[in-house]
Amino acid sequence: MKETEEALLRRAIELAREAREEHGNPPFGSLLANADGNVLAEDRNTSLTDNDITAHPELKLARWAAQNLTPEVAAATTMFTSTQPCGMCTGAIERSGLGRVVYALSAEQFLTLRPPVTWGYETEGPALFDEARVPVEGYYK
């Protein structure tokens, strides 16, 4: 990793610190840089202060990129983030067309730093394939 990239990753970690210490939110921070290393946008987790479970910085930056950057510019960007993006954010990053993600803390490492969480729902499926495929078939051509 280049020295300039390390500085950008350290800024993402600083944004995570700010989210926690200055705003009382979960400790996650991210920024989006262009190919020259210039910061285009940065954000921190605001899920508690915004009362919005989706207010992860990675999701907010992916949404910003999709709304404000051409596909060519988005593909040349790098997201620097304090922690490996969750599944929700990963989906948004993929759909926004960002070119690269660099994270400081892996999901596996993160899980060693927090108590185990048990999610209170069950999933079931797939079901009704023949019916469910009708609105989807042919859309992605």
Side-chain angles (χ1 to χ4, degrees), residues 33-123:
N34 67 14
D36 295 325
N38 299 312
V39 176
L40 302 175
E42 61 180 35
D43 218 321
R44 57 189 67 74
N45 188 294
T46 57
S47 60
L48 296 178
T49 53
D50 289 352
N51 195 28
D52 178 356
I53 61 172
T54 69
H56 296 192
E58 303 91 343
L59 177 64
K60 293 190 288 183
L61 289 176
R63 185 180 295 131
W64 179 88
Q67 293 171 343
N68 294 285
L69 303 178
T70 65
E72 297 77 26
V73 172
T77 63
T78 298
M79 179 182 289
F80 292 88
T81 188
S82 60
T83 304
Q84 184 176 359
C86 71
M88 174 184 69
C89 294
T90 298
I93 292 165
E94 289 171 353
R95 286 163 181 80
S96 69
L98 301 183
R100 182 172 168 235
V101 175
V102 177
Y103 55 87
L105 192 65
S106 74
E108 184 177 293
Q109 292 167 325
F110 170 71
L111 291 175
T112 68
L113 300 172
R114 66 176 272 181
V117 175
T118 303
W119 304 107
Y121 70 93
E122 295 179 25
T123 63

